[in-house]
């Protein structure tokens, strides 16, 4: 790359297909100036601090695009970038709400995302850093594809990895009373020279939150829905709901049956969409056969599926294992084009919920608003129930649906 592109990349605003029409000598002088200020250079840890050199706090520099005729005019797309900021802010807040975190968690995330990426979902950064929070695949934050999903990266920022490394916000004891610099040191871990820059984004974070309709005074739990372990202390490999949530049938610590079988008020109904999967979706068992197998398993009365929701859906489609540890993570194994957050799944699709535990829950959609799910009526047993029961009986949060895609299945 030339000196102009290098300078833009260092400040976090270079975009594909964009170039500033400056003379080469001017670009070189600008790059030298950045080096002298210490802005350009390797930044240690899991993160970088690009936004400090992007003009006023939280304001992304305009992107300029060459006109097709090579003339001297250019197009300022700052307004488009601001729209992206608002969209990303809302996604971050959605993930905080789903994790039962207070509004202050959203504020901390917005401040940090503004400093890291100007709240724009960048596909580049220092070394292999990408996304809103400039998380690095090489340091355990996930694959590049995962991190580029704002929902995933925000959830990782809040909850961290299952083993606590990298840590999330809830991993930092007492974070709710810490200043932003202390939080940044423990979660983002940037070069010490840049820690003080984050606090300067608070006013802009509050302004964006207000514009996006985000309640920063919202109550919540400081620990949120933290990663949990099963009663033996080992990580739960099943991908099914874990933890002692009293309102989750079949998830009691003692494994006893939840006796409350009274029908709960359903949530918003689920409706069928057209069937048919992308060509990449290839399973040992067809969709029709998988649905029939799930129904037979429900009729069999078997109680061998306790906390094994991901194993159940994988076996329904003919796999011995899914290849993914947690149910909610399996949703993000699918490409973004396959993930749907609407309530119109196709029969045979896999539906996902986030529960009060790290693992989440997955079930097979059978059509007409019905799913085949383990543990919902009796621990270990598969039952055919309304899909809304997962929300109304367990208090879980619907994440979305995807085709039965098992890229790591075997």
């Amino acid at each position: 790359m030339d000196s102009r592109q290098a300078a833009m990349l260092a400040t976090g605003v270079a975009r594909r297909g964009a170039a500033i029409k400056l003379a080469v000598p001017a670009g070189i002088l600008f790059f030298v100036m950045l080096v002298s200020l210490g802005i350009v250079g390797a930044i240690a840890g899991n993160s970088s601090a690009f936004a400090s050199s992007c003009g006023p706090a939280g304001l992304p520099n305009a992107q300029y695009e060459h006109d097709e005729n090579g003339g001297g005019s250019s197009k300022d797309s700052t307004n488009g970038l601001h729209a992206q900021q608002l969209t990303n802010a809302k996604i971050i807040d959605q993930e905080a709400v789903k994790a039962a975190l207070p509004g202050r968690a959203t504020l901390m995330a917005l401040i940090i995302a503004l400093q890291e990426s100007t709240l724009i979902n960048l596909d580049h950064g220092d070394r292999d850093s990408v996304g809103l929070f400039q998380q690095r695949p090489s340091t355990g934050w996930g694959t590049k594809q995962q991190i580029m999903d704002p929902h995933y990266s925000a959830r990782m920022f809040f909850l961290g990895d299952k083993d606590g490394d990298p840590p999330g916000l809830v991993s930092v004891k007492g974070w709710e009373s810490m200043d932003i610099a202390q939080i940044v040191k423990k979660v983002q871990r940037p070069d010490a020279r840049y820690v003080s820059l984050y606090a300067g984004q608070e006013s802009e974070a509050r302004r964006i939150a207000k514009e996006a309709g985000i309640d920063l005074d919202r109550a919540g739990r400081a620990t949120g829905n933290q990663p949990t372990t099963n009663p033996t202390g080992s990580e739960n490999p099943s991908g099914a709901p874990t933890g002692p949530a009293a309102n989750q049938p079949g998830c009691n610590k003692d494994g006893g049956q939840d006796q409350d079988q009274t029908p709960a008020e359903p949530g918003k109904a689920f409706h069928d969409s057209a069937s048919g999967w992308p060509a990449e979706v290839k399973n040992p068992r067809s969709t029709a056969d998988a649905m029939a197998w799930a129904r037979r398993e429900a009729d069999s009365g078997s109680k061998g599926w306790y906390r094994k929701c991901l194993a159940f859906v994988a076996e329904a489609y003919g796999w011995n294992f899914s290849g993914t540890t947690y149910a909610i993570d399996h949703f993000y194994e699918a490409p973004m084009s396959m993930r749907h957050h609407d309530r119109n799944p196709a029969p045979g699709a896999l539906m996902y919920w986030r529960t009060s535990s790290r693992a989440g829950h997955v079930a097979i959609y059978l059509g007409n608003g019905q799913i085949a799910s383990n543990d919902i009526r009796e621990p270990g047993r598969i039952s055919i129930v309304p899909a809304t029961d997962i929300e109304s009986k367990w208090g879980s949060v619907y994440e979305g649906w995807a085709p039965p895609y098992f890229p790591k299945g075997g």
Side-chain angles (χ1 to χ4, degrees), residues 79-227:
N79 289 337
L81 293 177
H82 183 59
Q84 292 179 42
Q85 286 183 311
L86 294 177
T87 296
N88 292 329
K90 291 175 183 178
I91 289 173
I92 288 171
D93 188 55
Q94 288 169 11
E95 295 303 320
V97 169
K98 289 177 182 178
L101 289 165
R104 179 173 168 77
T106 296
L107 176 61
M108 297 299 101
L110 292 178
I111 290 172
I112 288 172
L114 279 166
Q115 181 61 32
E116 295 289 357
S117 65
T118 62
L119 203 52
I120 300 298
N121 197 27
L122 300 177
D123 62 359
H124 59 269
D126 175 54
R127 288 170 286 187
D128 59 336
S129 301
V130 293
L132 293 176
F133 297 92
Q134 289 291 284
Q135 295 155 334
R136 299 179 60 196
S138 64
T139 54
W141 289 99
T143 65
K144 180 177 180 180
Q145 183 183 50
Q146 288 174 321
I147 296 170
M148 285 300 296
D149 185 301
H151 288 276
Y152 174 91
S153 62
R155 183 163 57 254
M156 284 295 289
F157 171 79
F158 289 125
L159 302 180
D161 196 25
K162 58 183 180 295
D163 61 2
D165 185 22
L169 181 66
V170 298
S171 306
V172 181
K173 188 175 181 180
W175 70 266
E176 64 274 19
S177 59
M178 288 182 181
D179 63 35
I180 188 65
Q182 291 175 294
I183 292 172
V184 165
K185 288 178 183 178
K186 294 179 181 294
V187 180
Q188 298 299 102
R189 295 181 285 192
D191 188 295
R193 293 173 294 172
Y194 303 104
V195 170
S196 62
L197 298 174
Y198 291 79
Q201 302 287 359
E202 181 170 352
S203 295
E204 182 65 11
R206 290 184 179 277
R207 189 192 69 77
I208 287 177
K210 183 177 181 180
E211 187 176 353
I214 294 171
D215 180 10
L216 296 179
D217 297 319
R218 181 188 66 249
R221 298 194 304 271
T223 54
N225 294 336
Q226 294 190 66

Side-chain angles (χ1 to χ4, degrees), residues 15 52 66 138 162 292 294 300 321 346 368:
R15 308 292 292 174
S52 61
H66 288 300
S138 64
K162 58 183 180 295
S300 74
F321 55 86
N368 298 317

Side-chain angles (χ1 to χ4, degrees), residues 360-383:
H361 186 65
V362 61
I364 297 177
Y365 185 63
L366 300 178
N368 298 317
Q370 302 285 304
I371 56 171
S373 172
N374 63 309
D375 298 342
I376 184 65
R377 287 185 175 167
E378 188 176 355
R381 186 168 181 170
I382 303 301
S383 300

Side-chain angles (χ1 to χ4, degrees), residues 29 50-51 85 125 185 191 215 238 253-254 264 291 315 330 345:
L29 288 175
F50 293 130
Q85 286 183 311
K185 288 178 183 178
D191 188 295
D215 180 10
S238 69
K253 276 187 176 180
D254 61 4
M291 294 167 63
E315 191 163 335
H330 190 259

Side-chain angles (χ1 to χ4, degrees), residues 38-59:
I39 293 173
V40 177
I43 299 175
N46 287 346
S47 176
S48 55
F50 293 130
S52 61
S53 58
C54 291
L59 179 64

